[in-house]
Amino acid sequence: MARQKITVVGAGNVGATAAQRIVEKQLADVVLVDIVEGFAKGKALDMMQSAATEGFDTKIIGSETYEETNDSDVIIVTAGIARKPGMSRDDLLATNAKIVTSVVEQTVERSPNAVYVIVSNPLDAMTFLAWKKSGLPAERVVGMAGVLDSSRYACFIAEEAKCSIKDVRAMVLGGHGDSMVPVPEYSTVNGIPIEQLLSKETIEKINERTKHGGAEIVKYLKTGSAYYAPSASAVAMAEAILLDSNRLVPACAYVNGEYGLNDVYCGVPVILNKNGVEKIIEIELRDESNDALHKSANDVRELCDKILTAV
Ligand code: APR
């Protein structure tokens, strides 16, 4: 069987690191595309020259154009500008909207069966836009952030509970912005609710730290935003799609009816497999979490309304 193919658009920090993770895992061959001439080609060549040492047979090529992306199984979109200190993800809206639109227009007919994993920010609005521009069924366009925000939450839970991160399951729902919703009632250490292990104050503290997890990193980096955890999250989603593994993860999906929300993309628990979002899982939320989810979805909706006028 031919190896599967992932196109990664954007060969910057997130895209190149995602590409590296994919080839090193031997998950799929990669086509790395970037608008800057030579940028993706140079990075791809560099990665290929690590294959002998790392021991992978997967191939990666770079390009400024899209011919090589034909018949991709998954398209990860990281193209766009990243945040600088003092910027919110929403400040990227107008620039990234144009970029994401052009990426979708250039890929959608070439890879009629692909599932899109959107990473560019502001994430939920970009995923909504990619879906609108692609004309694809909504299940084939999914956004990355729930996996990332949950892995940030898991990191802080493990640190505070002084336990192995391998035993932590964390859940963050809602949009990928300041109003995201860490959900302690569905976050556990090997099945034990974190509320039995950590004080209310500690949970409140790590909830806040999770919501601003990206900004904390931007503040340190100064010239860009996070990419190790974002690339790992995008690749985990691509893997669930390629391997048809029915992973249950929080992801930015098209919600229409579930959770009392309508016609909006936002972070909810989903089953992810070769079809993309196979199913949205509706879980019972405490009133507090449910209200926060609705508020967060409203914030996303406002951005989505703006975005349609920005492109
Ligand atoms: N087509 C292809 N690539 C493009 C296009 C385009 N139209 N426009 C920009 N790019 C490329 C840039 O040339 C750059 O190499 O996208 C890449 C973005 O890389 P970085 O600036 O390093 O940004 P990165 O940290 O990877 O973040 C990318 O993901 O997490 C989000 O907020 C982040 O929106 C940002 C995106």
Side-chain angles (χ1 to χ4, degrees), residues 9-15 34-36 39 66 78-82 92 96 99 102-103 119-121 225:
V9 188
N13 284 335
V14 180
D34 200 284
I35 199 166
V36 175
F39 195 53
Y66 287 85
T78 77
I81 52 166
L92 310 175
N96 284 357
I99 293 172
S102 98
V103 170
V119 181
S120 309
N121 272 313
S225 56

Side-chain angles (χ1 to χ4, degrees), residues 82-120:
R83 280 200 282 176
K84 307 238 159 44
M87 281 173 97
S88 82
R89 293 184 183 91
D90 299 359
D91 293 334
L92 310 175
L93 187 83
T95 309
N96 284 357
K98 291 196 177 69
I99 293 172
V100 168
T101 299
S102 98
V103 170
V104 169
E105 284 171 354
Q106 292 177 89
T107 48
V108 70
E109 281 170 19
R110 294 179 182 279
S111 296
N113 300 314
V115 175
Y116 281 81
V117 177
I118 308 298
V119 181
S120 309

Side-chain angles (χ1 to χ4, degrees), residues 77 89-90 117-129 142-146 175-176 251-252 265 300 303:
V77 181
R89 293 184 183 91
D90 299 359
V117 177
I118 308 298
V119 181
S120 309
N121 272 313
L123 190 279
D124 309 87
M126 289 302 133
T127 310
F128 170 81
L129 179 70
V142 60
M144 175 278 286
H176 184 52
C252 172
Y265 262 92
V300 172
L303 266 193

Side-chain angles (χ1 to χ4, degrees), residues 147-163:
V147 176
L148 168 63
D149 297 324
S150 301
S151 79
R152 286 183 170 147
Y153 198 27
C155 170
F156 303 142
I157 291 169
E159 209 172 274
E160 290 292 344
K162 297 188 176 39
C163 67

Side-chain angles (χ1 to χ4, degrees), residues 26 54 173 260 303:
Q26 302 197 81
E54 285 293 327
L173 303 178
L303 266 193

Side-chain angles (χ1 to χ4, degrees), residues 23-249:
V23 288
E24 287 184 356
K25 277 174 179 264
Q26 302 197 81
L27 183 59
D29 289 335
V30 174
V31 181
L32 184 63
V33 180
D34 200 284
I35 199 166
V36 175
E37 208 188 323
F39 195 53
K41 280 198 178 109
K43 291 207 174 183
L45 189 56
D46 193 6
M47 278 185 232
M48 275 316 295
Q49 291 171 3
S50 72
T53 317
E54 285 293 327
F56 57 82
D57 285 314
T58 30
K59 304 269 184 271
I60 173 164
I61 54 169
S63 184
E64 298 80 60
T65 57
Y66 287 85
E67 289 79 26
E68 298 287 352
T69 69
N70 287 4
D71 298 316
S72 293
D73 299 285
V74 172
I75 299 176
I76 300 177
V77 181
T78 77
I81 52 166
R83 280 200 282 176
K84 307 238 159 44
M87 281 173 97
S88 82
R89 293 184 183 91
D90 299 359
D91 293 334
L92 310 175
L93 187 83
T95 309
N96 284 357
K98 291 196 177 69
I99 293 172
V100 168
T101 299
S102 98
V103 170
V104 169
E105 284 171 354
Q106 292 177 89
T107 48
V108 70
E109 281 170 19
R110 294 179 182 279
S111 296
N113 300 314
V115 175
Y116 281 81
V117 177
I118 308 298
V119 181
S120 309
N121 272 313
L123 190 279
D124 309 87
M126 289 302 133
T127 310
F128 170 81
L129 179 70
W131 169 60
K132 282 272 176 206
K133 295 289 173 185
S134 69
L136 290 173
E139 62 268 21
R140 300 248 312 274
V141 183
V142 60
M144 175 278 286
V147 176
L148 168 63
D149 297 324
S150 301
S151 79
R152 286 183 170 147
Y153 198 27
C155 170
F156 303 142
I157 291 169
E159 209 172 274
E160 290 292 344
K162 297 188 176 39
C163 67
S164 166
I165 190 121
K166 290 179 187 158
D167 296 321
V168 178
R169 287 285 179 274
M171 170 113 42
V172 180
L173 303 178
H176 184 52
D178 295 345
S179 61
M180 71 178 73
V181 189
V183 189
E185 63 264 38
Y186 286 105
S187 299
T188 75
V189 180
N190 201 3
I192 304 165
I194 59 168
E195 289 161 315
Q196 293 184 30
L197 300 169
L198 300 173
S199 70
K200 211 166 172 273
E201 294 70 37
T202 303
I203 292 174
E204 198 39 54
K205 185 182 81 183
I206 59 177
N207 286 355
E208 283 309 304
R209 193 169 176 200
T210 300
K211 289 185 199 172
H212 305 289
E216 187 177 351
I217 292 168
V218 173
K219 220 166 109 190
Y220 284 125
L221 295 181
K222 296 190 178 69
T223 55
S225 56
Y227 55 101
Y228 291 111
S231 60
S233 305
V235 173
M237 291 177 70
E239 183 169 357
I241 296 162
L242 285 187
L243 303 185
D244 194 24
S245 51
N246 288 324
R247 293 277 320 261
L248 194 164
V249 289

